[in-house]
């Protein structure tokens, strides 16, 4: 694992220290890694949403469409694909 040093104003350092103590993190590095992972997830989701918004409609949205979505979710959960 590589190292990165960052400088924070005292107010931000105090905030990080508080989050580490209250959030059950062992170190400030664990807290920062978690923030970075969440930001990566957010960016991935944003990309997927933008791609979906830019795509053409796949077909009519009716009760059969939603039942198909439910079936896909059930199958993914059964197969262990849900996170």
């Amino acid at each position: 694992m590589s190292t990165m040093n960052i400088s924070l104003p005292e107010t931000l350092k105090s905030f990080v220290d508080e989050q580490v103590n209250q959030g059950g993190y062992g170190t400030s590095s664990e807290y920062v890694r978690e923030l970075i992972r969440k930001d990566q997830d957010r960016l991935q989701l944003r990309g997927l949403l933008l791609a979906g918004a830019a795509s053409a409609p796949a077909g009519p949205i009716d009760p059969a469409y939603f039942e198909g979505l439910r079936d896909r979710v059930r199958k993914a959960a059964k197969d262990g694909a849900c996170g």
Side-chain angles (χ1 to χ4, degrees):
M1 189 177 307
S2 57
T3 301
M4 175 185 282
N5 295 314
I6 60 170
S7 298
L8 298 173
E10 187 57 40
T11 55
L12 289 181
K13 183 186 179 310
S14 296
F15 177 80
V16 169
D17 291 342
E18 185 178 321
Q19 297 308 304
V20 169
N21 291 331
Q22 292 180 1
Y25 299 98
T27 65
S28 57
S29 291
E30 287 178 17
Y31 175 68
V32 171
R33 281 192 295 270
E34 180 68 16
L35 290 177
I36 292 168
R37 283 188 208 96
K38 287 180 179 180
D39 196 40
Q40 287 175 324
D41 290 346
R42 182 190 61 80
L43 290 171
Q44 180 183 13
L45 177 59
R46 184 176 192 274
L48 292 170
L49 289 170
L50 289 172
S55 68
I61 298 179
D62 56 14
Y65 171 81
F66 288 106
E67 191 53 42
L69 286 178
R70 286 185 200 95
D71 289 343
R72 286 174 48 195
V73 170
R74 287 183 199 112
K75 183 179 181 330
K78 182 180 174 187
D79 294 344
C82 289

